[in-house]
Amino acid sequence: AQPEHSAGQTAAMLLFLTTLGLLGAALGFDLSQPTRCVAIPLEMGVCQDVGYSEMRLPNFLGHSSLEREVVPRSEDWRPLLQTGCHPQARAFLCALIAPVCLDTFIQPCRSLCVAVRDSCAPVLACQGHSWPEQLDCDRFPAHEDMCLTPVSKHAQHFYKALPRPQCQGCPEVEEPFSSKMVLGALCQHDFAVKVKVSRRRLPSEDPEFAVEGRVEFISQGPLLPYDTHSLLQQWLLINPRCAHALARPGRTQLHLLAGDVQPDGTVAVTRIFLWHKRDMQLTSAVRKWKHHKC
């Protein structure tokens, strides 16, 4: 079943796709036309701290006005960037919407487009959208002499080796009827974590849903301690139906999440237990788990 998402998220994604629709003309951009250099405005949060402070106008999207086009349209990309679908997705975006002001135009390389597309297209697909034709990677330069290149092959391999969240239907949130039931679930899955999920009241520049504080491992399995907080945060943003089930607006809720790492490296959450502060069944199950034999 296709995951559901809120009206706000749907509107943001539609705005994002509208922005991409402007790119058809942008990739036919006349590089010989007059341009000017301007400071990247503070209101353009998605392209702050990208390694340069001045951008060229018009940009590769054909925008010539900061106030009317560049700043508002840059925010349309925020929902996708917040998922962390690729470590260079923001650099790829900003190379288009806020190109660095040098003596020559620096476009994203084709290889960078391919790397970002391969990681972020599944996120768009999870929201019911395909990778836009206007971002056909064949339109970007293949030679990497004068374009923005991806990270090194070693770094790319490291990134691909990290577990990634799976686009999935959401399991029902369960009440732990007994510690035996919880122990059985722990035995059946690769990992289990205790996690606190909060839901911010909109509007906000931050993601609506967030993993708060430290993630506590009950059963670590193949998850990586330094990556799991980010992994679960991405899982919430990619699977808004699950996120809505875990927290109400302005509230924070504790849960036990159990799941498996699939053969393709993606992580799926298959059991969700609501964890009340004084829940003796979950507390007992976690205490017994340290010495439990499945």
Side-chain angles (χ1 to χ4, degrees):
Q2 179 63 40
E4 299 172 358
H5 41 284
S6 68
Q9 290 169 313
T10 300
M13 189 58 67
L14 289 175
L15 282 171
F16 165 69
L17 293 172
T18 300
T19 299
L20 293 181
L22 299 174
L23 195 55
L27 293 178
F29 182 73
D30 183 2
L31 299 180
S32 65
Q33 70 171 297
T35 62
R36 69 185 192 277
C37 293
V38 298
I40 298 175
L42 293 176
E43 298 82 4
M44 196 172 173
V46 296
C47 291
Q48 293 295 322
D49 302 319
V50 290
Y52 55 92
S53 59
E54 287 193 326
M55 57 176 284
R56 190 182 289 274
L57 284 179
N59 61 20
F60 286 124
L61 298 178
H63 300 153
S64 57
S65 170
L66 283 175
E67 296 78 11
R68 294 192 305 272
E69 298 174 296
V70 176
V71 173
R73 296 285 75 82
S74 69
E75 286 300 306
D76 299 342
W77 297 72
R78 190 179 291 276
L80 183 69
L81 296 179
Q82 285 178 337
T83 67
C85 57
H86 190 276
Q88 284 188 284
R90 190 163 70 105
F92 175 69
L93 156 67
C94 292
L96 297 172
I97 201 168
V100 61
C101 193
L102 297 174
D103 293 337
T104 185
F105 283 95
I106 305 296
Q107 300 182 66
C109 296
R110 184 178 301 173
S111 55
L112 176 59
C113 177
V114 169
V116 173
R117 179 200 64 196
D118 289 353
S119 291
C120 296
V123 176
L124 287 176
C126 195
Q127 303 291 345
H129 305 290
S130 58
W131 184 255
E133 293 183 5
Q134 292 85 356
L135 279 182
D136 181 357
C137 294
D138 290 340
R139 302 188 182 210
F140 294 100
H143 299 290
E144 300 186 352
D145 297 332
M146 291 298 294
C147 59
L148 183 63
T149 60
V151 294
S152 68
K153 291 183 178 179
H154 174 76
Q156 288 187 61
H157 176 75
F158 175 79
Y159 174 73
K160 289 181 178 180
L162 294 175
R164 303 182 308 280
Q166 185 178 85
C167 173
Q168 62 171 96
C170 190
E172 292 185 6
V173 178
E174 304 176 60
E175 295 279 354
F177 297 110
S178 67
S179 60
K180 183 178 180 180
M181 170 189 175
V182 177
L183 287 170
L186 294 177
C187 286
Q188 293 170 4
H189 297 292
D190 293 338
F191 68 87
V193 293
K194 182 180 180 181
V195 61
K196 186 182 296 183
V197 177
S198 67
R199 184 176 179 182
R200 297 182 177 91
R201 296 187 184 277
L202 297 177
S204 171
E205 289 188 356
D206 296 317
E208 182 179 2
F209 298 95
V211 175
E212 295 286 350
R214 185 173 65 92
V215 175
E216 180 180 337
F217 286 102
I218 308 303
S219 174
Q220 181 174 329
L223 298 185
L224 303 173
Y226 57 83
D227 178 63
T228 299
H229 188 284
S230 175
L231 171 71
L232 293 175
Q233 178 67 49
Q234 292 175 37
W235 179 81
L236 286 174
L237 297 174
I238 290 174
N239 295 286
R241 183 183 176 189
C242 296
H244 277 84
L246 294 180
R248 289 179 289 177
R251 298 288 298 274
T252 299
Q253 183 61 59
L254 199 60
H255 292 86
L256 174 68
L257 308 182
D260 301 290
V261 178
Q262 308 301 311
D264 63 357
T266 59
V267 170
V269 174
T270 51
R271 299 290 293 272
I272 300 175
F273 294 102
L274 182 61
W275 193 318
H276 297 292
K277 286 186 177 180
R278 299 181 180 180
D279 194 313
M280 297 305 298
Q281 299 301 330
L282 273 172
T283 302
S284 174
V286 170
R287 186 168 57 248
K288 292 178 180 178
W289 174 250
K290 296 178 181 180
H291 308 287
H292 183 73
K293 294 183 179 180
C294 296

